[in-house]
Amino acid sequence: MEKGAIKGRFAPTPSGRMHLGNLLCALLAWLSARAEGGRVVLRIEDLDAMRSPRSYADLLEDDLRWLGLFWDEGGSSGGPDGPYYQSERTALYQAALARLEEQGLVYPCFCSRAQLHAAQAPHLSDGRVLYPGTCRDLTAQEVAQRRRQRPPALRLRVPDETVSFVDRHLGPYSENLQQECGDFLIRRSDGVFAYQLAVVVDDAAMGVTQVVRGADLLSSTPRQLYLYRLLGLPSPTFAHIPLLTAPDGRRLSKRDGDLDLGAIRRRLPGPEPLLGLLGWLCGLLERAEPVRAQDLVPLFSWDKIPQGDLSLPAALWELLE
């Protein structure tokens, strides 16, 4: 691929102020694209608009500008492949759903969350529930009867097939769709399209060639590669990065208000100390010293990034808090 043809993206969900873990993902996605002379897209993943008010998206953009992580297209700036807010792209997801329905791969599912997490449902080693196919073979009469009781979600049938890919950071990864994933949701019962479908449609439509995201999303990649194939769309490369944890090993969370950018900005005179800390944690710097985002571009290499979770040292955690 020629220089400049690379397109990366940062695709946050604006359900709260970005925390330090979100920032790490934004930084590495930005560096990965910039190090190859590529462009960066900012996509706002506000599929559930009720939980993702535009005010949070605006704050997110302000934080990225403060950090120096400027993007080439997307967000409120717009661009050639907009709109860049998923809440405004429903027609594209509906068209993709129709293509899957034409292939006879979609069926209604009436299972509640409580039913899915019941003891008899298969659970995988990481705690995920493997959908047991309860609604896969309902008759038309059974579907009609259950529709009168509750609206269905929509699931995609998966084959007994192993999907493999090579992660740019973590190396080879394989998953059997039927045994390790199960038929998965592509639209919720409230009509909101699922992440798995939306992200595939959007990355393809926006010409994204590389996806950098947290290691907690690694297992979703085979499902997405399956969707790319079914929809006849080109797939990007993937790199899954370490998760940032508190000194006690707990993963950072917006819900817990862990080191959100609002609090951090009130404590720091500028972004350079924070970027230096993250650059050091990621192995790009020998010590945590203030740097600008652009200073890290020539230092970036996937070979330097650790593969395991990154724990914030207690002293630095206390300083930032």
Side-chain angles (χ1 to χ4, degrees), residues 165-195:
F165 74 101
V166 178
D167 188 273
R168 295 183 68 190
H169 182 48
L170 299 178
Y173 182 81
S174 298
E175 186 170 286
N176 183 283
L177 293 175
Q178 197 173 90
Q179 299 172 21
E180 300 175 81
C181 167
D183 299 344
F184 58 90
L185 288 179
I186 52 176
R187 196 179 73 187
R188 297 184 339 199
S189 60
D190 60 2
V192 173
F193 282 92
Y195 165 79

Side-chain angles (χ1 to χ4, degrees), residues 48-168:
D48 191 336
M50 294 294 291
R51 297 184 179 181
S52 305
R54 189 60 60 91
S55 59
Y56 278 140
D58 294 340
L59 277 174
L60 189 150
E61 289 195 11
D62 185 64
D63 285 336
L64 291 175
R65 292 189 183 98
W66 178 76
L67 291 158
L69 301 179
F70 299 103
W71 56 97
D72 299 290
E73 60 184 88
S76 61
S77 304
D81 298 315
Y84 293 89
Y85 297 85
Q86 287 189 328
S87 58
E88 299 174 3
R89 299 177 62 83
T90 303
L92 293 172
Y93 311 143
Q94 189 62 50
L97 172 61
R99 293 187 62 182
L100 298 172
E101 289 177 325
E102 289 170 0
Q103 299 176 56
L105 297 174
V106 179
Y107 65 90
C109 174
F110 300 90
C111 297
S112 66
R113 183 181 296 271
Q115 290 171 320
L116 293 176
H117 287 80
Q120 64 266 28
H123 285 66
L124 301 174
S125 59
D126 61 2
R128 287 182 296 138
V129 176
L130 181 66
Y131 183 67
T134 307
C135 298
R136 176 190 269 253
D137 298 313
L138 294 178
T139 65
Q141 182 178 1
E142 289 172 324
V143 169
Q145 180 181 4
R146 296 189 186 194
R147 278 186 188 276
R148 290 193 288 268
Q149 300 171 353
R150 61 178 295 162
L154 296 179
R155 287 188 181 272
L156 184 73
R157 298 176 186 270
V158 300
D160 185 6
E161 174 187 327
T162 297
V163 174
S164 303
F165 74 101
V166 178
D167 188 273
R168 295 183 68 190

Side-chain angles (χ1 to χ4, degrees), residues 280-308:
W280 169 69
L281 283 173
C282 290
L284 304 181
L285 296 172
E286 292 184 1
R287 56 186 178 275
E289 58 186 6
V291 294
R292 298 172 301 169
Q294 64 196 61
D295 297 331
L296 293 172
V297 174
L299 303 177
F300 179 80
S301 169
W302 283 114
D303 293 335
K304 298 178 182 178
I305 311 297
Q307 293 193 348

